[in-house]
Amino acid sequence: MLLIVGLSVLLAGCQTPEVQPTVGPIVDEAPPSTVTTTSTLTTEAPATLTTTTVASTTTTSTTAPLPELKGLTLETVGEGFDQPSFVLANPLGGQLLVVEREGVVESLEADGTVGEEPFLDLTGVVGSSGIEQGLLGMAFHPSDESRLFVYFTLPSDDSVLAEIPLVEGLPDVSELVELIRFEQPTNRHNAGMVLFGPDGYLYLSLGEGGEASTHAQNPDTLLSSILRLDIDGGVPSVVPPDNPFADGGGAPEVWAFGLRNPWRFDIDPVGGLVYIADVGHSEWEEINVVPLADGGYNFGWLAMEGTHCFSSAECESDGFELPFVEYPHPDGCSVTGGYVYRGSAIPELDGHYFYGDWCSGFIRSFRYSDGVAVDERDWTDELGFKGQVNSFGLDSSGEILIATWDGTIYRLTPVR
């Protein structure tokens, strides 16, 4: 099967040419799912009680509660990077790895120094002439220390998911193997998140390639989708047998479709949920939250933009997975998805999902609770943040990182 896909980076401002397909009248259109805050943050972490029994002797120790959480601040952990598209922890060394769009991955030590040599240099392979092109995603195999996966654009404008072997912890670029090559219709909307789920499968988000009217509602293509691949079951990869279209009805690699530009998404193994931030077109940005255990979701683009009809004044919303949270373009114009917080430094925010906007530069969060967004909060003013959020990331302790367009890497830290 010819795998023809398109991906996209983060700019919503690059609008897709509008096409007006014929759609039926609206039936039971769901209301907007942005929910007003219904609960407040817990400001004091409970004491942790640990009980140990040895040879019939019981010893109890209590960890004192943390001081009251007064807020959050931004700690600068690195500066001077060239348009960082992603940041992650190196599981083999603990240092941070800053992925730069033009194809270089720099090592960032705890003291803020950058390694003398890049961790990875793909500048001879990567094409990054368009602002939505370049080295866009990277992930380490969760259990095999010899395997690294990257997603990037070629000078031909095609996109590639590739595997690079690690030899003594360093990538051997000479042994790079293409797993899938995607033909891009245009140089826009390439998406680009590479992430392993708790099921051990590799997930990859793909945009509609700048031609939404052609691909967005066609599950037989790989465009406008999130793919789910088994990279351990065959060479170069195989389709998991429980993929929603494994037996037909769509491309077998597709796990979900109907997306415009899912630049960043997160899989929270604790809640069993997938958080997909999908960049909007002209009026609405959206975040979808769906169970990982299912699949086959259709997120509605381009009939719908958020919970609103896009292609015509009236539309049919039945059968679409409508967003969990949305916001209008006066608030921003290009959502940058982040992570559900599961670190240890701020236990009061456990389970809160952080996200931002590339245009307006806000940083916000909410918590999923029984199908409702609660504890919604805008942290921008408190953080004193002014910048463009290219991507979020996690350090080796699960603390949230922010990579900005101007090349600064921040860490969210508590104020007590």
Side-chain angles (χ1 to χ4, degrees):
M1 155 183 176
L2 180 61
L3 303 180
I4 300 180
V5 171
L7 321 198
S8 110
V9 171
L10 48 159
L11 288 180
C14 301
Q15 297 187 353
T16 306
E18 297 188 18
V19 178
Q20 304 294 332
T22 302
V23 291
I26 188 166
V27 176
D28 190 26
E29 182 177 357
S33 54
T34 302
V35 183
T36 303
T37 302
T38 59
S39 63
T40 57
L41 294 176
T42 302
T43 58
E44 183 170 330
T48 301
L49 183 66
T50 304
T51 302
T52 306
T53 302
V54 181
S56 300
T57 299
T58 301
T59 302
T60 301
S61 63
T62 303
T63 302
L66 294 171
E68 177 184 353
L69 178 66
K70 296 180 179 180
L72 298 180
T73 188
L74 290 175
E75 173 193 359
T76 300
V77 295
E79 296 179 285
F81 296 98
D82 186 9
Q83 297 178 18
S85 58
F86 192 47
V87 57
L88 72 164
N90 183 348
L92 307 180
Q95 70 268 49
L96 297 180
L97 297 175
V98 181
V99 180
E100 296 179 331
R101 191 174 65 86
E102 292 187 355
V104 174
V105 179
E106 301 281 10
S107 295
L108 177 60
E109 302 294 341
D111 62 1
T113 60
V114 177
E116 293 183 3
E117 297 293 333
F119 173 80
L120 175 64
D121 189 345
L122 289 175
T123 52
V125 179
V126 169
S128 58
S129 58
I131 193 173
E132 301 191 47
Q133 298 178 315
L135 180 56
L136 307 178
M138 189 168 84
F140 289 84
H141 193 286
S143 59
D144 188 339
E145 295 184 349
S146 68
R147 306 178 72 183
L148 176 69
F149 297 83
V150 291
Y151 168 67
F152 57 88
T153 310
L154 293 169
S156 65
D157 292 344
D158 288 356
S159 293
V160 168
L161 173 67
E163 178 176 348
I164 303 175
L166 297 170
V167 180
E168 297 182 352
L170 295 175
D172 183 356
V173 178
S174 67
E175 297 296 326
L176 181 149
V177 176
E178 292 186 4
L179 304 182
I180 307 176
R181 180 182 290 212
F182 307 99
E183 181 181 343
Q184 288 283 8
T186 74
N187 63 1
R188 296 180 295 145
H189 304 172
N190 296 325
M193 188 71 174
V194 183
L195 183 65
F196 280 91
D199 51 15
Y201 295 135
L202 185 148
Y203 292 75
L204 170 66
S205 63
L206 311 175
E208 32 85 306
E211 293 189 353
S213 61
T214 304
H215 307 292
Q217 284 298 307
N218 181 6
D220 288 318
T221 75
L222 303 185
L223 293 161
S224 300
S225 69
I226 292 180
L227 307 186
R228 182 175 184 249
L229 305 171
D230 179 359
I231 49 81
D232 295 317
V235 179
S237 66
V238 297
V239 173
D242 58 345
N243 267 16
F245 303 115
D247 297 323
E253 300 89 349
V254 170
W255 181 78
F257 67 105
L259 293 158
R260 182 178 183 269
N261 181 18
W263 165 235
R264 292 289 176 249
F265 70 94
D266 180 35
I267 299 175
D268 177 33
V270 177
L273 298 170
V274 185
Y275 293 69
I276 307 166
D278 194 16
V279 177
H281 177 83
S282 59
E283 295 184 15
W284 295 93
E285 303 297 305
E286 66 181 77
I287 297 171
N288 300 279
V289 183
V290 293
L292 177 64
D294 299 327
Y297 303 104
N298 181 349
F299 293 104
W301 175 253
L302 78 158
M304 310 286 294
E305 184 182 25
T307 60
H308 311 269
C309 295
F310 174 76
S311 299
S312 62
E314 295 184 343
C315 59
E316 172 64 67
S317 63
D318 286 353
F320 296 144
E321 188 69 36
L322 298 181
F324 185 71
V325 166
E326 63 177 6
Y327 61 90
H329 273 197
D331 287 354
C333 75
S334 181
V335 64
T336 301
Y339 290 89
V340 177
Y341 180 75
R342 298 296 182 186
S344 58
I346 323 171
E348 299 91 341
L349 296 181
D350 183 66
H352 289 242
Y353 174 77
F354 283 81
Y355 65 102
D357 188 272
W358 193 85
C359 300
S360 66
F362 71 64
I363 298 174
R364 296 176 178 175
S365 68
F366 65 82
R367 181 169 59 86
Y368 179 96
S369 178
D370 296 326
V372 177
V374 300
D375 294 337
E376 292 192 271
R377 185 160 177 173
D378 191 318
W379 299 90
T380 316
D381 291 341
E382 178 177 323
L383 293 171
F385 180 74
K386 295 180 180 180
Q388 293 172 291
V389 186
N390 272 12
S391 184
F392 289 81
L394 296 176
D395 68 13
S396 58
S397 298
E399 303 303 321
I400 290 181
L401 305 167
I402 299 172
T404 67
W405 176 261
D406 68 2
T408 304
I409 309 299
Y410 297 101
R411 180 185 288 112
L412 286 177
T413 59
V415 177
R416 299 190 181 278

Short mmCIF file of all heavy atoms in Angstrom, two decimals, residues 69-77 341 345-346 349 354 379 382-383 395 399-402 410-416:
data_model
loop_
_atom_site.label_atom_id
_atom_site.label_comp_id
_atom_site.label_asym_id
_atom_site.label_seq_id
_atom_site.Cartn_x
_atom_site.Cartn_y
_atom_site.Cartn_z
N LEU A 69 1.75 25.73 48.64
CA LEU A 69 2.05 26.13 47.27
C LEU A 69 1.46 27.51 47.02
O LEU A 69 0.25 27.71 47.04
CB LEU A 69 1.48 25.13 46.27
CG LEU A 69 1.69 25.47 44.79
CD1 LEU A 69 3.16 25.41 44.43
CD2 LEU A 69 0.89 24.52 43.89
N LYS A 70 2.33 28.48 46.78
CA LYS A 70 1.88 29.85 46.53
C LYS A 70 1.72 30.14 45.05
O LYS A 70 1.05 31.10 44.66
CB LYS A 70 2.87 30.83 47.15
CG LYS A 70 2.95 30.72 48.67
CD LYS A 70 3.93 31.73 49.23
CE LYS A 70 3.99 31.62 50.75
NZ LYS A 70 4.96 32.60 51.34
N GLY A 71 2.35 29.33 44.20
CA GLY A 71 2.25 29.55 42.76
C GLY A 71 3.35 28.84 42.02
O GLY A 71 4.02 27.95 42.56
N LEU A 72 3.54 29.21 40.77
CA LEU A 72 4.58 28.63 39.93
C LEU A 72 5.50 29.73 39.41
O LEU A 72 5.10 30.89 39.28
CB LEU A 72 3.96 27.88 38.74
CG LEU A 72 3.06 26.69 39.04
CD1 LEU A 72 2.55 26.08 37.74
CD2 LEU A 72 3.77 25.64 39.88
N THR A 73 6.71 29.33 39.07
CA THR A 73 7.64 30.24 38.43
C THR A 73 8.37 29.49 37.33
O THR A 73 8.29 28.26 37.26
CB THR A 73 8.63 30.83 39.45
OG1 THR A 73 9.39 31.85 38.82
CG2 THR A 73 9.58 29.76 39.97
N LEU A 74 9.07 30.24 36.49
CA LEU A 74 9.84 29.64 35.40
C LEU A 74 11.32 29.68 35.74
O LEU A 74 11.87 30.75 36.01
CB LEU A 74 9.59 30.38 34.08
CG LEU A 74 8.22 30.21 33.45
CD1 LEU A 74 8.09 31.11 32.22
CD2 LEU A 74 7.96 28.76 33.08
N GLU A 75 11.95 28.54 35.72
CA GLU A 75 13.39 28.43 35.90
C GLU A 75 14.05 28.27 34.54
O GLU A 75 13.70 27.36 33.78
CB GLU A 75 13.72 27.22 36.77
CG GLU A 75 15.19 26.91 36.89
CD GLU A 75 15.46 25.55 37.48
OE1 GLU A 75 14.49 24.83 37.82
OE2 GLU A 75 16.65 25.17 37.57
N THR A 76 14.96 29.16 34.20
CA THR A 76 15.68 29.04 32.93
C THR A 76 16.75 27.96 33.06
O THR A 76 17.63 28.05 33.90
CB THR A 76 16.33 30.38 32.56
OG1 THR A 76 15.33 31.39 32.43
CG2 THR A 76 17.08 30.25 31.23
N VAL A 77 16.66 26.95 32.21
CA VAL A 77 17.63 25.85 32.27
C VAL A 77 18.59 25.86 31.07
O VAL A 77 19.58 25.15 31.07
CB VAL A 77 16.92 24.49 32.39
CG1 VAL A 77 16.17 24.38 33.69
CG2 VAL A 77 15.97 24.24 31.21
N TYR A 341 0.68 16.61 34.18
CA TYR A 341 1.74 16.65 35.17
C TYR A 341 1.68 15.43 36.09
O TYR A 341 0.67 15.17 36.74
CB TYR A 341 1.66 17.93 36.00
CG TYR A 341 2.77 18.00 37.04
CD1 TYR A 341 4.06 18.31 36.66
CD2 TYR A 341 2.51 17.72 38.38
CE1 TYR A 341 5.09 18.35 37.60
CE2 TYR A 341 3.52 17.77 39.32
CZ TYR A 341 4.81 18.08 38.92
OH TYR A 341 5.83 18.11 39.84
N ALA A 345 7.61 17.35 42.30
CA ALA A 345 7.90 18.63 42.93
C ALA A 345 6.64 19.43 43.24
O ALA A 345 6.63 20.27 44.15
CB ALA A 345 8.82 19.47 42.04
N ILE A 346 5.55 19.18 42.50
CA ILE A 346 4.31 19.94 42.68
C ILE A 346 3.14 18.96 42.79
O ILE A 346 2.30 18.86 41.89
CB ILE A 346 4.07 20.93 41.52
CG1 ILE A 346 5.38 21.54 41.02
CG2 ILE A 346 3.10 22.03 41.93
CD1 ILE A 346 5.26 22.34 39.75
N LEU A 349 -0.53 19.65 41.83
CA LEU A 349 -0.97 19.75 40.44
C LEU A 349 -0.96 18.41 39.73
O LEU A 349 -1.01 18.34 38.50
CB LEU A 349 -0.10 20.76 39.69
CG LEU A 349 -0.19 22.21 40.20
CD1 LEU A 349 0.69 23.12 39.36
CD2 LEU A 349 -1.63 22.71 40.18
N PHE A 354 -1.11 20.73 31.05
CA PHE A 354 -0.60 22.06 30.68
C PHE A 354 -0.53 22.19 29.16
O PHE A 354 -0.12 21.25 28.47
CB PHE A 354 0.78 22.29 31.29
CG PHE A 354 0.74 22.62 32.76
CD1 PHE A 354 0.62 21.62 33.71
CD2 PHE A 354 0.82 23.94 33.18
CE1 PHE A 354 0.57 21.93 35.06
CE2 PHE A 354 0.78 24.26 34.52
CZ PHE A 354 0.65 23.25 35.48
N TRP A 379 -1.83 30.70 33.73
CA TRP A 379 -0.65 30.97 34.54
C TRP A 379 0.24 32.07 33.95
O TRP A 379 1.28 32.41 34.53
CB TRP A 379 0.20 29.69 34.65
CG TRP A 379 -0.48 28.54 35.30
CD1 TRP A 379 -1.21 27.57 34.68
CD2 TRP A 379 -0.49 28.23 36.70
NE1 TRP A 379 -1.68 26.65 35.60
CE2 TRP A 379 -1.25 27.04 36.85
CE3 TRP A 379 0.08 28.81 37.83
CZ2 TRP A 379 -1.45 26.43 38.09
CZ3 TRP A 379 -0.13 28.22 39.07
CH2 TRP A 379 -0.89 27.05 39.19
N GLU A 382 1.19 35.26 36.10
CA GLU A 382 1.92 34.83 37.29
C GLU A 382 3.34 34.41 36.96
O GLU A 382 4.30 34.71 37.69
CB GLU A 382 1.18 33.68 37.96
CG GLU A 382 1.87 33.12 39.19
CD GLU A 382 1.06 32.02 39.86
OE1 GLU A 382 -0.18 32.15 39.88
OE2 GLU A 382 1.66 31.07 40.34
N LEU A 383 3.51 33.72 35.83
CA LEU A 383 4.83 33.28 35.41
C LEU A 383 5.65 34.41 34.81
O LEU A 383 6.88 34.28 34.66
CB LEU A 383 4.69 32.15 34.38
CG LEU A 383 4.10 30.83 34.89
CD1 LEU A 383 3.83 29.90 33.72
CD2 LEU A 383 5.03 30.17 35.90
N ASP A 395 11.46 16.55 31.89
CA ASP A 395 12.81 16.17 32.27
C ASP A 395 12.80 14.77 32.87
O ASP A 395 11.76 14.09 32.88
CB ASP A 395 13.44 17.20 33.21
CG ASP A 395 12.78 17.27 34.59
OD1 ASP A 395 12.00 16.36 34.94
OD2 ASP A 395 13.05 18.24 35.33
N GLU A 399 9.23 16.60 35.46
CA GLU A 399 8.86 18.01 35.57
C GLU A 399 8.70 18.61 34.18
O GLU A 399 9.39 18.22 33.23
CB GLU A 399 9.91 18.78 36.37
CG GLU A 399 10.17 18.22 37.76
CD GLU A 399 8.90 18.14 38.61
OE1 GLU A 399 8.07 19.08 38.54
OE2 GLU A 399 8.74 17.15 39.35
N ILE A 400 7.79 19.57 34.07
CA ILE A 400 7.41 20.11 32.76
C ILE A 400 8.40 21.16 32.28
O ILE A 400 8.79 22.07 33.02
CB ILE A 400 5.98 20.68 32.81
CG1 ILE A 400 4.98 19.52 32.93
CG2 ILE A 400 5.69 21.53 31.57
CD1 ILE A 400 3.54 19.96 32.96
N LEU A 401 8.81 21.02 31.02
CA LEU A 401 9.71 21.95 30.36
C LEU A 401 8.97 22.70 29.26
O LEU A 401 7.98 22.20 28.71
CB LEU A 401 10.89 21.19 29.73
CG LEU A 401 11.70 20.30 30.67
CD1 LEU A 401 12.60 19.38 29.87
CD2 LEU A 401 12.52 21.14 31.64
N ILE A 402 9.45 23.89 28.94
CA ILE A 402 8.88 24.70 27.87
C ILE A 402 10.01 25.15 26.96
O ILE A 402 11.01 25.71 27.43
CB ILE A 402 8.13 25.92 28.42
CG1 ILE A 402 6.97 25.48 29.32
CG2 ILE A 402 7.62 26.81 27.29
CD1 ILE A 402 6.31 26.63 30.06
N TYR A 410 12.74 26.46 29.57
CA TYR A 410 12.33 26.74 30.94
C TYR A 410 11.83 25.45 31.61
O TYR A 410 11.41 24.51 30.95
CB TYR A 410 11.18 27.75 30.98
CG TYR A 410 11.48 29.11 30.42
CD1 TYR A 410 11.07 29.48 29.15
CD2 TYR A 410 12.16 30.06 31.21
CE1 TYR A 410 11.33 30.75 28.64
CE2 TYR A 410 12.41 31.34 30.72
CZ TYR A 410 11.99 31.66 29.42
OH TYR A 410 12.25 32.93 28.93
N ARG A 411 11.85 25.48 32.94
CA ARG A 411 11.22 24.43 33.74
C ARG A 411 10.19 25.07 34.66
O ARG A 411 10.47 26.09 35.30
CB ARG A 411 12.25 23.67 34.57
CG ARG A 411 11.64 22.55 35.44
CD ARG A 411 12.69 21.90 36.34
NE ARG A 411 13.61 21.06 35.58
CZ ARG A 411 14.89 21.32 35.40
NH1 ARG A 411 15.43 22.43 35.90
NH2 ARG A 411 15.66 20.50 34.72
N LEU A 412 8.99 24.48 34.75
CA LEU A 412 7.99 24.95 35.70
C LEU A 412 8.40 24.48 37.10
O LEU A 412 8.59 23.29 37.33
CB LEU A 412 6.62 24.39 35.37
CG LEU A 412 5.86 24.99 34.16
CD1 LEU A 412 4.56 24.26 33.94
CD2 LEU A 412 5.61 26.47 34.37
N THR A 413 8.50 25.40 38.04
CA THR A 413 8.91 25.06 39.39
C THR A 413 7.97 25.71 40.39
O THR A 413 7.38 26.77 40.13
CB THR A 413 10.36 25.51 39.69
OG1 THR A 413 10.46 26.93 39.50
CG2 THR A 413 11.33 24.82 38.74
N PRO A 414 7.81 25.11 41.57
CA PRO A 414 6.87 25.66 42.56
C PRO A 414 7.45 26.82 43.34
O PRO A 414 8.66 26.93 43.54
CB PRO A 414 6.62 24.45 43.48
CG PRO A 414 7.90 23.67 43.41
CD PRO A 414 8.39 23.83 42.00
N VAL A 415 6.56 27.69 43.78
CA VAL A 415 6.90 28.76 44.72
C VAL A 415 6.18 28.43 46.02
O VAL A 415 4.95 28.32 46.05
CB VAL A 415 6.44 30.14 44.20
CG1 VAL A 415 6.74 31.22 45.24
CG2 VAL A 415 7.13 30.46 42.88
N ARG A 416 6.94 28.27 47.11
CA ARG A 416 6.35 27.87 48.39
C ARG A 416 6.71 28.87 49.50
O ARG A 416 7.69 29.57 49.39
CB ARG A 416 6.81 26.46 48.77
CG ARG A 416 6.38 25.41 47.75
CD ARG A 416 6.63 24.00 48.24
NE ARG A 416 6.24 23.01 47.24
CZ ARG A 416 5.01 22.59 47.04
NH1 ARG A 416 4.04 23.06 47.79
NH2 ARG A 416 4.74 21.70 46.10
#
